[in-house]
Amino acid sequence: EAQVTQNPRYLITVTGKKLTVTCSQNMNHEYMSWYRQDPGLGLRQIYYSMNVEVTDKGDVPEGYKVSRKEKRNFPLILESPSPNQTSLYFCASRRWDGNEQFFGPGTRLTVL
Amino acid sequence: GESVGLHLPTLSVQEGDNSIINCAYSNSASDYFIWYKQESGKGPQFIIDIRSNMDKRQGQRVTVLLNKTVKHLSLQIAATQPGDSAVYFCAERTGTASKLTFGTGTRLQVTL
């Protein structure tokens, strides 16, 4: 089954404790992306990647890091989480030239 | 900066009626406009896209209209069903190697 998986689905952590949210896709997509979704603000892009070892900032990259060492994986790293990073996070992938973007199930993060 | 927005935050429609969800955009250089559907507790799901050189595109029960003169995009859903209840986002993309910019969403409520 073609899908994007994220782990964990839920996470409660404390300020300053480094965390990683994993994302993996099995569709051989070149393009992968991370979004955060907050009430009233819709989906905002954090980082995206056009291919292995190619990443670029989205609209709200501050406080986040990503890496793309393999085509299928695109982890999101929060080196020092803060409460304003409490949000619902989505990973997504698509073909480099396509508009149909496949989203993961989401990761709900709470930073205390 | 450039943005994609929606006129109506919530739309209530009776089952069987047609729904029209509207979106205003500001970036006249966008190449594609895309509609996504997000059901409660899930990631967004691609519905349909339209290239900027088109003014209409039809899918299964859905039609997207693009009016570049007034920078307006709409999604029409025919014979709305309870399963259509969700939040609908419009998004825009410029070029192949670029991010999607999402609007804030419209909630569609289907009443029986």
Side-chain angles (χ1 to χ4, degrees):
Chain A
E1 180 189 357
Q3 61 181 351
V4 178
T5 57
Q6 296 178 226
N7 281 293
R9 294 290 313 280
Y10 302 91
L11 179 61
I12 300 174
T13 189
V14 295
T15 298
K17 186 176 181 181
K18 180 179 179 180
L19 67 92
T20 299
V21 184
T22 64
C23 173
S24 183
Q25 51 94 4
N26 62 0
M27 294 167 279
N28 201 36
H29 286 163
E30 294 83 11
Y31 185 99
M32 296 187 75
S33 182
W34 276 103
Y35 297 86
R36 59 178 290 174
Q37 187 172 34
D38 302 289
L41 295 176
L43 285 154
R44 294 181 293 167
Q45 192 173 49
I46 303 170
Y47 268 95
Y48 65 99
S49 169
M50 284 301 296
N51 216 323
V52 176
E53 302 292 359
V54 180
T55 63
D56 211 343
K57 296 178 180 178
D59 296 315
V60 288
E62 293 77 22
Y64 304 95
K65 286 175 59 178
V66 292
S67 69
R68 189 86 183 274
K69 299 188 188 310
E70 304 164 289
K71 196 172 187 179
R72 65 182 293 125
N73 296 322
F74 191 45
L76 179 69
I77 304 154
L78 284 71
E79 294 271 3
S80 182
S82 62
N84 65 11
Q85 293 179 298
T86 292
S87 188
L88 178 59
Y89 291 86
F90 288 101
C91 180
S93 74
R94 62 172 169 87
R95 279 175 27 208
W96 71 274
D97 60 347
N99 286 321
E100 184 170 4
Q101 191 153 259
F102 294 81
F103 283 80
T107 295
R108 186 164 291 283
L109 172 66
T110 301
V111 183
L112 302 175
Chain B
E2 302 288 359
S3 65
V4 177
L6 293 171
H7 298 306
L8 300 173
T10 303
L11 177 65
S12 290
V13 174
Q14 201 159 19
E15 182 180 5
D17 288 350
N18 296 335
S19 304
I20 301 176
I21 301 170
N22 297 303
C23 176
Y25 65 92
S26 58
N27 186 357
S28 56
S30 292
D31 294 309
Y32 291 94
F33 300 90
I34 308 112
W35 283 99
Y36 282 84
K37 171 187 180 183
Q38 186 176 22
E39 296 175 272
S40 182
K42 297 183 179 180
Q45 183 179 16
F46 174 89
I47 302 173
I48 191 169
D49 63 352
I50 186 168
R51 192 164 182 163
S52 61
N53 61 357
M54 300 170 66
D55 52 22
K56 180 179 181 179
R57 190 173 186 204
Q58 289 185 291
Q60 189 176 14
R61 275 201 312 120
V62 295
T63 301
V64 57
L65 299 177
L66 177 63
N67 185 333
K68 293 181 286 293
T69 302
V70 295
K71 296 182 182 177
H72 185 266
L73 183 71
S74 69
L75 178 70
Q76 300 180 359
I77 304 173
T80 311
Q81 302 168 359
D84 295 326
S85 293
V87 176
Y88 289 81
F89 295 94
C90 65
E92 59 178 331
R93 182 163 76 86
T94 306
T96 55
S98 71
K99 61 187 179 72
L100 285 177
T101 300
F102 283 84
T104 53
T106 293
R107 182 174 301 279
L108 176 65
Q109 294 178 332
V110 181
T111 58
L112 303 177

